[in-house]
Amino acid sequence: MTNAKAATLAQPRGIERWVPGIRSARTYDRSWLRRDLVAAVVLSALLVPQGMAYAELAGLPAITGLYTTVVCLMAYAAFGPSPYLVLGPDSSLGPIIAAIILPLAAGSMERAVGLAGMLALLVGAIAIGAGLARLGFISDLLSAPVRIGYMAGLAVTIIVSQLPKLFGFSVDGGNIVADLQAFLAGLDETNMWTLGVGVLALVIIVGLKIWRPTFPGILVAVVATVVSSAVLDLAARDVAVVGVLPEGFPRPSFPQVELDDLPLLIGGAIGITLVAVGDTVSVSSGFAAKRGSEVDTDQEIVAIGTANVAAGFFSGFPVSTSSSRTAVADQAGAKTQLTGLAAGALVLAMLLFVPGLFQTLPLSVLAAIIIFAGATLFDYAGLRRLWQVRRSDFAVAAICFLGVAFIGVLEGIVIAVIVSVIQIFVRAWNPYSAVLGKPKEVPGYHDVSRYPDANRIEGLIILRWDAPLFFANSQIFRDRVRKLV
């Protein structure tokens, strides 16, 4: 049995149960070191531009995205049970964070950073509490149709919000309709140099995604546009650039907020926790299945909570698991959380020793990265499948989409949870049922409405009832049986 197999099957005890990083270090196979470090170099090149871009999406200074990236990777390396997940700023959380903190910040960036830090602490506390109480099942409140619709709404919201930055001007919106109207009204303010370099980045990212899916298109786009910006001196052409990042790393501190802000922050933190936990469990389960291992759901939730707490103390904001960055690490050959740890160390080294490395990076390139990330949240295949298989599920997804896109991101979370709970109740109260027969072309018994020529046993009706039988649906069950008889 290999070390990896033994580590998977062994049951952790004592402190290793709650700090899996100790166990990972104790059982580490030195033959993995080269692959982990190579993957860390590849991953760090992606973490920097995405970290800055998603901080901008959350309405925060770009540098806070790098602080958040470093501390959450290190926290998860210690407390995370998965050897392959990569945590960090996430495109699906950015609009939610912005919707919570920006109205409270009232234009003060210092206040926005404090609010974001407190929000991360609250998300961490809720997640840790849920994990210790073994409430991992709560993430199931967001069903697949609800998540597909919710993410589609986020995708449209993200893309529309970044269009003005891509074109080189700013707008004051509030919702998707206002943002779109303001964008169209401001098109005459377009900076063609800003638009050109942003479109160039978007073409590179999308082109490489289609041509070479495993190639780091974002890294290529960032390098190409940084060099182009320096050579053409785009800053002198009124193209907004990142500039020199603050040197060093912040000391841990408790974020300062007003007591009156806490109710809204707590409500938002609950919504963010639902989304972050759902993402983490689904990504963790998918990669665990790929590698033939198991998922400790409750410890995953504790780990995501710990990472958020760490981010809150270091001028950061709430984080989640990134399926794209996890896939990059996996494709680069990562074996353990040493990849995330080393990638975080590389980002930290950049902050300490070469903070001007990305100073000529145009902000429209960050907008292009965000637009691409937003587009990936839109599950076209999933929506089409819902339409083809079950129109009621498609309607649920559409309601969640409209709620997020046209009412608001925070309100959309509430709508998504309410719709999901209603859907669960309706499915249990008035479930689908089918009379079964035995088709000639496929083995087993199947719904005769799909196989009209299926053979049925004379004098016998086989009814499949797709829900537990209990007091609320007993009358409906009796009526259907009587109708069939």
Side-chain angles (χ1 to χ4, degrees):
M1 182 180 293
T2 64
N3 288 346
K5 188 72 172 178
T8 298
L9 296 179
Q11 185 67 32
R13 298 179 179 178
I15 191 172
E16 290 186 1
R17 166 69 177 85
W18 300 107
V19 190
I22 297 175
R23 178 166 167 252
S24 298
R26 180 174 57 81
T27 59
Y28 191 81
D29 188 332
R30 291 185 179 180
S31 65
W32 298 338
L33 183 60
R34 180 178 175 277
R35 296 181 67 179
D36 277 342
L37 293 181
V38 169
V41 173
V42 174
L43 182 62
S44 63
L46 184 64
L47 291 174
V48 173
Q50 282 196 336
M52 292 191 293
Y54 296 160
E56 293 271 344
L57 179 61
L60 296 165
I63 187 65
T64 61
L66 302 186
Y67 298 156
T68 303
T69 297
V70 171
V71 295
C72 76
L73 285 174
M74 294 184 174
Y76 189 84
F79 293 94
S82 169
Y84 28 78
L85 287 193
V86 178
L87 269 63
D90 188 65
S91 57
S92 64
L93 297 186
I96 309 175
I97 297 169
I100 296 169
I101 67 172
L102 294 185
L104 298 176
S108 170
M109 194 56 68
E110 181 180 355
R111 184 161 159 73
V113 172
L115 289 165
M118 178 58 73
L119 189 61
L121 289 181
L122 292 170
V123 169
I126 294 169
I128 291 173
L132 294 177
R134 302 188 180 278
L135 299 177
F137 66 89
I138 291 177
S139 63
D140 295 334
L141 281 177
L142 298 179
S143 64
V146 167
R147 289 180 65 81
I148 290 173
Y150 173 77
M151 289 299 180
L154 275 184
V156 174
T157 301
I158 289 170
I159 292 171
V160 171
S161 72
Q162 294 304 305
L163 286 176
K165 295 180 182 179
L166 184 69
F167 281 68
F169 59 91
S170 59
V171 300
D172 293 324
N175 55 51
I176 190 170
V177 176
D179 285 346
L180 194 56
Q181 289 175 340
F183 166 68
L184 295 174
L187 283 176
D188 57 344
E189 301 177 31
T190 300
N191 182 315
M192 297 308 297
W193 286 99
T194 300
L195 177 62
V197 73
V199 170
L200 172 64
L202 199 54
V203 169
I204 292 173
I205 295 169
V206 175
L208 286 176
K209 182 67 175 178
I210 297 172
W211 181 49
R212 290 283 183 86
T214 60
F215 208 76
I218 292 177
L219 173 61
V220 175
V222 167
V223 172
T225 52
V226 164
V227 172
S228 300
S229 178
V231 171
L232 298 174
D233 193 14
L234 293 184
R237 304 176 190 272
D238 294 327
V239 175
V241 296
V242 170
V244 178
L245 298 173
E247 188 174 349
F249 202 77
R251 294 180 179 179
S253 61
F254 193 84
Q256 301 297 314
V257 299
E258 301 291 334
L259 287 178
D260 294 342
D261 297 334
L262 286 179
L264 182 57
L265 290 176
I266 292 172
I270 294 172
I272 290 176
T273 304
L274 273 175
V275 175
V277 168
D279 284 346
T280 299
V281 172
S282 62
V283 174
S284 178
S285 300
F287 278 88
K290 178 181 176 181
R291 297 195 180 190
S293 58
E294 298 294 330
V295 176
D296 184 346
T297 302
D298 295 316
Q299 182 57 31
E300 286 286 12
I301 297 173
V302 170
I304 194 76
T306 305
N308 275 281
V309 169
F313 279 116
F314 286 90
S315 301
F317 50 88
V319 299
S320 180
T321 301
S322 168
S323 58
S324 61
R325 291 189 288 273
T326 301
V328 166
D330 181 63
Q331 292 164 1
K335 300 291 292 183
T336 70
Q337 276 299 326
L338 180 61
T339 294
L341 199 61
L346 288 172
V347 176
L348 178 60
M350 186 210 75
L351 287 172
L352 295 177
F353 304 113
V354 281
L357 186 62
F358 293 94
Q359 63 180 325
T360 60
L361 178 65
L363 294 182
S364 62
V365 174
L366 297 183
I369 294 172
I370 295 171
I371 288 172
F372 174 75
T376 62
L377 295 177
F378 203 107
D379 188 354
Y380 306 95
L383 284 170
R384 186 173 61 251
R385 186 171 60 253
L386 292 178
W387 176 261
Q388 293 171 342
V389 175
R390 182 172 286 182
R391 300 289 172 87
S392 60
D393 281 350
F394 180 86
V396 168
I399 291 171
C400 293
F401 166 77
L402 295 172
V404 173
F406 293 98
I407 299 177
V409 176
L410 287 179
E411 294 85 350
I413 294 178
V414 176
I415 291 171
V417 172
I418 292 174
V419 168
S420 193
V421 171
I422 292 174
Q423 185 185 35
I424 293 169
F425 174 75
V426 170
R427 289 276 176 85
W429 168 65
N430 190 17
Y432 181 79
S433 62
V435 175
L436 305 183
K438 191 173 184 180
K440 294 180 181 179
E441 61 269 29
V442 292
Y445 284 82
H446 299 275
D447 188 346
V448 295
S449 66
R450 297 186 180 182
Y451 297 91
D453 297 330
N455 294 322
R456 297 168 63 181
I457 301 174
E458 186 177 353
L460 177 66
I461 295 175
I462 303 175
L463 176 67
R464 187 184 71 210
W465 182 256
D466 290 354
L469 185 61
F470 66 113
F471 71 92
N473 62 21
S474 59
Q475 181 68 36
I476 295 175
F477 177 79
R478 183 179 67 178
D479 292 343
R480 290 191 187 177
V481 169
R482 284 180 172 178
K483 184 178 180 180
L484 288 170
V485 171

